[in-house]
Amino acid sequence: MELIYNDGYCPECLLHDKEVELLLNKDDFWECPKSNLQLAVLGSDAVTLKFRGTGKFKEESVFGTQNINGAALAHARGANYYTDIAIFSSLDEFRNYLTNEVEPPLGLTLENLAYAYSSFKNGNPLARESSEMSYKRQSRHFKIDFENPSIIKKLEKRDLDEGMSDYNSYTQLYRLLLSLFEKYHKADISWLPEMGMSLNQAALCNKHLHSLPEPVTYINDPEFLRSRLLTFIVDLIEIVYHGKKVDLPGSKPDLAFEEPSPYKSATTLTLQDILDFKSDLFRNSKVKMVRHKDSRREYRDLIKDKSKLLEYQREQSKEVFKDCDFIISFMGQEGTKSLLFGIFKVNGVEKRETSFYYDLEQVDGFEYLVDRVVVDWGDNAIAWHQWYHKQPKEVVQILPQGFLGSFPGLLNFVLDFDDLQKLTQNPEANQDWKSHLSAVNGIYLVLDSQTGNQYVGSACGTEGIWQRWCEYTHNSHGGNKKLIELCATPGYGRNFRFSVLQPLPANLSKKEVVAIEYLYMKKLGTRAYGLN
C-alpha cells in the first residue's frame, strides 16, 4: 500500500508537476486557487472533496504549506466526509477518483454555468451526480438557480415597471431560456424562431442564429451550432438575471439575405421571414398567397376535409394562378386572421369550358407550419389572392403542435375519435381543454356515427372526464362490453363521437354519479335500444 501524503500543495496540480499552494477558503476548506480542488483536513487525514470551491478565500491569506504537514490523502466513501473515509492506496487510485468522482474543473463563467446545467438536465444519467455538483457550484457563485421559479415574480414586476406587454415580456424570455438548454445539448436549432414567439424572442433568435455575417441556417456542424446557442443562452441569462436590456440590431436582418423589403418592420415577424430562412424555394419564383373564407368558425372543423377545399382551390373561373410557380394557401378566420392551409406547386393548367383546372402538388418540408401559422391578411382582406413578394404578412400567432382550438365550454362541443386522440396525446398544447375536463365529473355520451346507437357513461375519477376519456383513446372501447364487441372490427372506434351530457361537481359520491347516469340511460333508451 502506497500512502500519499500532503504538505499543503494541491495534489491534483502535483500530478502535472506544478506546485500550487492551497489556501483556506471561507468555508474553512483548503482550496487550490488554480483548479479549485478542495481538501478537508481532519486530524492526520486530508479528505479530497467531490465538489470544487468557488475561489472565495479568507481576506487574510492562510497557506496550506504552513498548516498541513504530512496528512494522508483520503476520500469519503459516502455522504459524510467527516467519519466515513478511506485512505488512497496509490496515485492511480487518486487519479481515478479525480476522473470519475470529483466535479470537473470548470472555470466560473456564465458559459460554464449554462454548460453545467445543460449537462445536469440532459446529459448522461451515469454522470448526473458529477454534473449536478458542477452546476450547483456555478449556481452558488453566480446566485442563479434555473430550478427556482421565484425569478418569475421578479420578472413580472420588471415587466410592469417597464410597461412590457405580455407578448414581449421578460417572462417570455425566461421561458425561451429554459427551452434552449435541451436544444444546446442536442445542437438543435429547429423551431427557432417559429415557436409562437414574442417579437423579442424571435428577434433574439435571428440575432444569434440567422444574422449576417455567419448565419447558421444551413450549417449542420454540432459544435458550431452549440457555440452559437451558448452565446444566445448567455445573452438571455444576462437579460433575465442581471437586468440587461434586450440588445437588438438597429434593423432586423432579412433572413433570405436579400435587400430588406420597404414593407417590412424591424419589429414584425412575417410569413416571409419564416419561409425564406428555412428554404430558398421561393426566392426567385413567382408565388401567390390565397385566402379562402370558410363560414365554419371552429378551428378543428377548418382543418378537416382538406381534400374538398383542395378540389375547390384547383378549379377557378378565371386564370388567377396564371404564371405562378407556387401558391401558399390560407383559410380565413375571424376578422383578418388567416390560418396556413398548405403550400402547393403549380404544375400546369387545363382550360375547360367554363373554368380553369390547375394541377396542384403539395410541397413537402413545411408540414410543421401547416395548421399552425396564423397571419394577419391585412386591411385589403377582400383581395383574396396577392403576390408573396409584394405583401408581407405579419405572423400574429403560431399554434402549438397538436392544438385543437379554444375550449368552447363543457356543453358546446362534439369530438370525433380522432379529435379526442389528438387532444389526449397533446395535453400541453390543449391545457384549457385538459383543465376543464379534469376539473369535473360528469355524464357523457358516445355516439356510434355509423349506426346512430348511443352509449351513456359516467366519469368520477381523480381527473374527472379527462381521465375517463383517455381510456377510450388507448383501446377505443373504454372497457364497455358492447363497445368491445364493435371494436373487434379493426378501426371501428373511429366511428365514435364524444360529448358531455351533464357536468357534475367533484364532491358527489360515486353512488350519486351512477344514479344520474342511470337516469340518462332511461331518458335516451340506451339500455333497451342502445349500447348500454
Side-chain angles (χ1 to χ4, degrees), residues 356-526:
F356 296 87
Y357 190 82
Y358 288 89
D359 179 7
L360 302 179
E361 175 189 354
Q362 185 144 344
V363 179
D364 294 330
F366 297 95
E367 295 82 2
Y368 62 96
L369 299 175
V370 171
D371 298 335
R372 298 183 61 205
V373 172
V374 180
V375 304
D376 181 1
W377 195 254
D379 296 334
N380 196 15
I382 195 171
W384 68 276
H385 56 93
Q386 301 176 9
W387 288 107
Y388 173 80
H389 294 293
K390 293 183 179 180
Q391 298 288 337
K393 298 300 180 191
E394 180 182 357
V395 175
V396 295
Q397 191 175 14
I398 298 181
L399 304 172
Q401 190 78 39
F403 180 65
L404 198 67
S406 300
F407 183 70
L410 286 165
L411 300 177
N412 299 325
F413 68 85
V414 176
L415 293 178
D416 61 30
F417 183 83
D418 288 341
D419 281 340
L420 181 61
Q421 197 166 53
K422 182 179 181 181
L423 178 66
T424 57
Q425 288 175 351
N426 298 278
E428 294 300 320
N430 299 286
Q431 278 292 342
D432 53 345
W433 284 83
K434 182 181 179 182
S435 61
H436 282 91
L437 292 173
S438 299
V440 295
N441 294 325
I443 309 303
Y444 62 87
L445 183 74
V446 180
L447 170 70
D448 181 345
S449 61
Q450 183 162 310
T451 64
N453 288 331
Q454 298 174 328
Y455 171 84
V456 172
S458 63
C460 53
T462 55
E463 290 189 275
I465 295 172
W466 175 271
Q467 179 180 335
R468 182 69 181 106
W469 282 4
C470 283
E471 295 173 15
Y472 285 95
T473 64
H474 293 151
N475 56 28
S476 299
H477 51 69
N480 308 124
K481 183 178 179 180
K482 290 188 178 181
L483 299 187
I484 291 174
E485 294 173 2
L486 291 173
C487 290
T489 301
Y492 193 88
R494 285 192 149 64
N495 294 313
F496 297 157
R497 295 179 181 174
F498 298 78
S499 59
V500 177
L501 293 175
Q502 182 178 339
L504 299 173
N507 61 359
L508 284 186
S509 68
K510 184 175 181 179
K511 184 178 180 180
E512 291 172 309
V513 171
V514 170
I516 300 172
E517 177 188 12
Y518 271 74
L519 178 60
Y520 272 96
M521 289 181 191
K522 288 182 180 180
K523 288 182 176 181
L524 299 175
T526 58

Side-chain angles (χ1 to χ4, degrees), residues 219-458:
I219 292 177
N220 295 317
D221 178 14
E223 291 309 312
F224 185 81
L225 293 177
R226 284 194 184 96
S227 69
R228 293 293 284 270
L229 283 166
L230 188 59
T231 304
F232 189 1
I233 289 172
V234 169
D235 194 16
L236 283 170
I237 291 173
E238 291 178 332
I239 292 168
V240 170
Y241 289 94
H242 291 169
K244 175 182 171 182
K245 296 289 185 181
V246 178
D247 180 23
L248 300 175
S251 61
K252 185 166 66 67
D254 183 72
L255 298 175
F257 314 123
E258 300 172 346
E259 287 298 316
S261 161
Y263 299 100
K264 290 185 180 179
S265 162
T267 58
T268 298
L269 178 68
T270 67
L271 173 75
Q272 286 82 347
D273 289 336
I274 292 176
L275 295 183
D276 289 352
F277 85 74
K278 280 293 184 183
S279 171
D280 59 1
L281 190 63
F282 311 118
R283 189 172 300 178
N284 298 311
S285 302
K286 292 184 178 180
V287 185
K288 265 193 174 180
M289 302 175 292
V290 299
R291 181 179 190 258
H292 305 289
K293 186 63 177 173
D294 196 303
S295 59
R296 293 174 296 179
R297 292 295 182 182
E298 291 294 340
Y299 170 86
R300 62 182 184 278
D301 292 331
L302 286 173
I303 62 177
K304 291 178 184 176
D305 301 329
K306 285 192 172 183
S307 58
K308 293 181 181 178
L309 184 55
L310 181 56
E311 191 62 27
Y312 165 78
Q313 180 176 255
R314 284 193 173 105
E315 190 163 10
Q316 300 293 327
S317 60
K318 298 179 181 179
E319 283 189 281
V320 292
F321 305 143
K322 184 179 180 180
D323 298 327
C324 283
D325 299 310
F326 299 93
I327 63 172
I328 302 172
S329 302
F330 294 85
M331 291 182 286
Q333 296 185 295
E334 68 275 9
T336 57
K337 286 184 178 180
S338 305
L339 176 71
L340 182 63
F341 162 64
I343 299 175
F344 305 90
K345 186 176 187 295
V346 182
N347 290 323
V349 60
E350 175 189 340
K351 176 69 172 72
R352 295 182 173 179
E353 187 175 342
T354 59
S355 64
F356 296 87
Y357 190 82
Y358 288 89
D359 179 7
L360 302 179
E361 175 189 354
Q362 185 144 344
V363 179
D364 294 330
F366 297 95
E367 295 82 2
Y368 62 96
L369 299 175
V370 171
D371 298 335
R372 298 183 61 205
V373 172
V374 180
V375 304
D376 181 1
W377 195 254
D379 296 334
N380 196 15
I382 195 171
W384 68 276
H385 56 93
Q386 301 176 9
W387 288 107
Y388 173 80
H389 294 293
K390 293 183 179 180
Q391 298 288 337
K393 298 300 180 191
E394 180 182 357
V395 175
V396 295
Q397 191 175 14
I398 298 181
L399 304 172
Q401 190 78 39
F403 180 65
L404 198 67
S406 300
F407 183 70
L410 286 165
L411 300 177
N412 299 325
F413 68 85
V414 176
L415 293 178
D416 61 30
F417 183 83
D418 288 341
D419 281 340
L420 181 61
Q421 197 166 53
K422 182 179 181 181
L423 178 66
T424 57
Q425 288 175 351
N426 298 278
E428 294 300 320
N430 299 286
Q431 278 292 342
D432 53 345
W433 284 83
K434 182 181 179 182
S435 61
H436 282 91
L437 292 173
S438 299
V440 295
N441 294 325
I443 309 303
Y444 62 87
L445 183 74
V446 180
L447 170 70
D448 181 345
S449 61
Q450 183 162 310
T451 64
N453 288 331
Q454 298 174 328
Y455 171 84
V456 172
S458 63

Side-chain angles (χ1 to χ4, degrees), residues 189-223:
I189 64 164
S190 62
W191 303 104
L192 297 174
E194 64 269 30
M195 297 196 303
M197 292 181 168
S198 68
L199 298 180
N200 278 343
Q201 287 174 318
L204 283 168
C205 286
N206 292 333
K207 169 188 171 183
H208 288 286
L209 302 177
H210 305 295
S211 59
L212 296 170
E214 287 186 291
V216 300
T217 311
Y218 304 108
I219 292 177
N220 295 317
D221 178 14
E223 291 309 312

Side-chain angles (χ1 to χ4, degrees), residues 133-149:
M133 286 191 299
S134 184
Y135 165 62
K136 287 185 175 180
R137 171 172 167 261
Q138 301 277 345
S139 176
R140 287 195 305 271
H141 176 76
F142 288 105
K143 295 181 173 60
I144 293 174
D145 183 3
F146 302 120
E147 303 277 278
N148 188 346

Side-chain angles (χ1 to χ4, degrees), residues 155 158-159 164 166-180 198-205 232 235-237 239-240 244-247:
L155 294 175
R158 185 178 172 191
D159 288 332
M164 302 295 285
D166 290 342
Y167 193 55
N168 266 350
S169 66
Y170 292 108
T171 312
Q172 293 279 25
L173 293 180
Y174 168 69
R175 295 191 178 100
L176 172 61
L177 170 63
L178 295 185
S179 74
L180 287 183
S198 68
L199 298 180
N200 278 343
Q201 287 174 318
L204 283 168
C205 286
F232 189 1
D235 194 16
L236 283 170
I237 291 173
I239 292 168
V240 170
K244 175 182 171 182
K245 296 289 185 181
V246 178
D247 180 23

